[in-house]
Amino acid sequence: VRKDERELPSFSVAMRKTVFGEGAERMVHKFRFLDDKSNSFIGPKMVAKESRFVDADKSYRHRMDYHREFMRTQAIASEMASKFNESIDSLAVHFSGYTAFLAKLARAPRIKFLRPLLVETQDLDLGAFSILIEPMLEHARYEKFNNNMGYVKGQKRQDLLGDDLASVNLAPDAHVTADEIKGDGLEAIEEGSEEGSEEEDADEEECDLLNSAISKPDVNTASFDFKDEDFPHAFSHFSYQMSKGSLMVVDLQGVFTVCPNGTRVYELTDPVIHKKKSKRRFKRWTF
């Protein structure tokens, strides 16, 4: 048993064939554990997730590849969320004595990703069968806070790239065609042009928290008017900064919960991670 695996007792399980929810990549079914003696449901309500692009009769290894990708993505997002929460807590050091800000900081939401579990079952028709499950979030309060194509809840999307291109002034002798300007602007950048020296690459590939970037702003001019809904998008920005531009966690969705002790938490699942194509460190990873 590897350190990231844990043995659990054997149970009978039940999964509805009817799709409970459906996204661009995944289908969700209701899932429960069963008590073998009473044949009744035990434990919390769960959901089982499977790919829209992997048929049930695919090989065991094929299905495991999908589960591995899902769990890798969610595990990396969860690690970044932990560092994001730690960085919020660390702000108190920079504002000791400013009671109004500290009180607001204590109520700042934290980010948490659900921890998925891989269940192996024996199916009469399919044989050994792996199912990816996680706790069920309250469906009525489930929201999408941003997506992987620019949407941010509560904000009007801005075509920033279009604005930038519109403001570009070309010199009279610039050899750029109108078709090139109309294109996506990315094909003109050669793959190798992004890579610097080996020392620069090694430095950029260190995914550490940028504590040195945290500084104490001028409290006479700083605005403390942050809102709960700012935090998911702030986390996406943080993940990009923390990874030094190598990764960005987006497509944040789930529920916003106020716990009995007053802690405010965004419980999230199914994130998407963008990665910088030229980074050798993440070349073998897919998200």
Side-chain angles (χ1 to χ4, degrees):
V1 179
R2 298 201 313 264
K3 65 179 182 180
D4 57 342
E5 295 179 342
R6 50 198 170 114
E7 292 183 340
L8 294 174
S10 294
F11 290 96
S12 295
V13 299
M15 184 175 78
R16 281 189 179 275
K17 292 184 178 180
T18 306
V19 175
F20 169 64
E22 192 168 356
E25 295 186 8
R26 299 178 183 91
M27 295 181 294
V28 183
H29 303 263
K30 291 183 177 180
F31 181 97
R32 295 297 299 266
F33 288 100
L34 293 172
D35 185 296
D36 288 332
K37 294 180 179 179
S38 64
N39 205 33
S40 58
F41 294 139
I42 57 174
K45 293 181 179 179
M46 309 288 287
V47 294
K49 297 184 177 181
E50 58 181 349
S51 172
R52 289 167 51 92
F53 311 110
V54 179
D55 295 332
D57 59 354
K58 288 290 186 180
S59 69
Y60 184 89
R61 181 175 179 179
H62 197 121
R63 293 181 61 83
M64 284 297 296
D65 287 342
Y66 159 72
H67 296 326
R68 185 177 294 108
E69 182 176 302
F70 180 97
M71 297 183 80
R72 176 194 297 123
T73 301
Q74 200 133 312
I76 291 175
S78 182
E79 182 178 352
M80 289 185 171
S82 295
K83 293 186 180 296
F84 177 72
N85 297 336
E86 290 170 5
S87 72
I88 294 176
D89 294 335
S90 70
L91 288 175
V93 176
H94 300 273
F95 292 93
S96 57
Y98 298 98
T99 54
F101 176 76
L102 292 177
K104 194 170 183 65
L105 185 66
R107 290 174 52 82
R110 299 322 194 243
I111 303 293
K112 175 186 176 183
F113 285 89
L114 298 181
R115 186 175 183 179
L117 185 67
L118 191 62
V119 175
E120 292 189 341
T121 67
Q122 290 291 330
D123 185 272
L124 294 176
D125 297 322
L126 302 174
F129 197 76
S130 58
I131 305 174
L132 186 74
I133 66 171
E134 62 183 19
M136 178 186 288
L137 295 173
E138 189 176 334
H139 185 67
R141 297 193 297 117
Y142 196 93
E143 298 180 82
K144 179 162 287 216
F145 305 105
N146 65 31
N147 70 8
N148 59 348
M149 297 182 66
Y151 164 78
V152 177
K153 181 188 175 185
Q155 295 184 18
K156 181 179 179 181
R157 180 174 177 179
Q158 296 179 338
D159 188 0
L160 300 180
L161 179 60
D163 293 343
D164 289 342
L165 290 176
S167 64
V168 171
N169 293 319
L170 297 176
D173 59 346
H175 301 290
V176 181
T177 66
D179 288 339
E180 288 173 324
I181 295 176
K182 292 178 182 177
D184 59 20
L186 300 179
E187 295 177 353
I189 301 176
E190 295 182 5
E191 186 71 22
S193 65
E194 292 186 12
E195 298 188 8
S197 65
E198 292 183 4
E199 290 80 9
E200 290 173 337
D201 282 346
D203 179 64
E204 289 181 357
E205 288 175 359
E206 289 295 327
C207 286
D208 58 335
L209 182 62
L210 301 181
N211 284 321
S212 59
I214 300 176
S215 59
K216 182 177 179 179
D218 183 354
V219 294
N220 294 318
T221 59
S223 172
F224 298 155
D225 187 25
F226 50 80
K227 302 178 179 64
D228 291 342
E229 54 265 33
D230 296 334
F231 280 75
H233 195 47
F235 167 69
S236 290
H237 179 82
F238 175 89
S239 67
Y240 179 82
Q241 294 282 38
M242 191 195 81
S243 65
K244 298 185 178 179
S246 297
L247 304 172
M248 183 165 64
V249 184
V250 294
D251 208 18
L252 303 183
Q253 53 196 305
V255 300
F256 176 63
T257 301
V258 180
C259 303
N261 64 357
T263 303
R264 307 156 82 79
V265 181
Y266 280 96
E267 293 183 284
L268 306 176
T269 186
D270 285 3
V272 168
I273 298 182
H274 293 306
K275 70 174 180 178
K276 191 173 183 180
K277 185 177 180 181
S278 64
K279 287 302 172 188
R280 293 192 299 268
R281 177 175 181 178
F282 310 115
K283 188 174 182 179
R284 293 184 294 107
W285 291 1
T286 52
F287 300 107

